[in-house]
Amino acid sequence: MAECLAPVPDGPRAHPGCREGRRQAREARQARYRKVSRNLPASAGRALQYQGLTDPTRAVAHPRGLRYVVGNALATGPEQNPAARWSCVGRTESGRDFMNCPPGTKLENYLDFPTCWDGKNLDSPNHRDHMTYATGPSCPASHPVPVPRLELLITWPVNGGGLSLAGTRNGTNVTDAPGYTFHGDFFNAWDEGELRRRVADCINAGYICGTDGRPIQQ
């Protein structure tokens, strides 16, 4: 699978913060690169990967101004948010809610973004309908344009139980949301030429690239 690790350009993004009881976690893990975020503790390690998961030789760069929401902040059960996964660093088990990580490891979670665009709309009324997930190796006819998959990985400097998500829901602060409500949004503010180059040189060409967008592995 081709992927391109790259610095994220300035632009609005949001995802909830993780709380351990009522205190913010303070241990630090160095971020793999800078990311603009809100409500995320500075001590959390985070990485955003651009991956050639769906039809990589035909994938195109996200158009400038494309925006969408992923995850389900209103989920009432784990089955309502398949985009979010939780696990413990160094372990293979995963689930859609918090994991009770053993001493010596840390909690991590993934948010997988859709890879198929309708090719016309930069947004939709619910911020979702113009994007969809592929159900096989290619995109459906309703959303025929493959784009790189964004995968957000956050490593939280906590383990054990008693965890909840904190954020804002309908203008109200929430501090007790379960892990299966994890969500995020994307707004593309990349320089168009640079993002097209990285998609062509890395994802279309089948290379793994570094944060500079240059191939490091075929």
Side-chain angles (χ1 to χ4, degrees), residues 44-100:
R46 57 255 193 215
L48 183 65
Q49 296 184 351
Y50 286 65
Q51 302 173 328
L53 189 69
T54 301
D55 208 352
T57 60
R58 293 184 56 249
V60 303
H62 299 88
R64 189 174 177 86
L66 180 70
R67 65 186 70 194
Y68 54 91
V69 172
V70 65
N72 187 355
L74 302 179
T76 58
E79 70 285 350
Q80 295 180 2
N81 191 6
R85 294 176 287 126
W86 295 87
S87 58
C88 303
V89 174
R91 300 175 71 90
T92 58
E93 302 89 347
S94 66
R96 293 178 183 166
D97 205 351
F98 296 117
M99 307 287 288
N100 192 340

Side-chain angles (χ1 to χ4, degrees), residues 62-68 122-123 186-190:
H62 299 88
R64 189 174 177 86
L66 180 70
R67 65 186 70 194
Y68 54 91
L122 298 179
D123 199 0
F186 172 74
F187 176 78
N188 184 32
W190 270 94

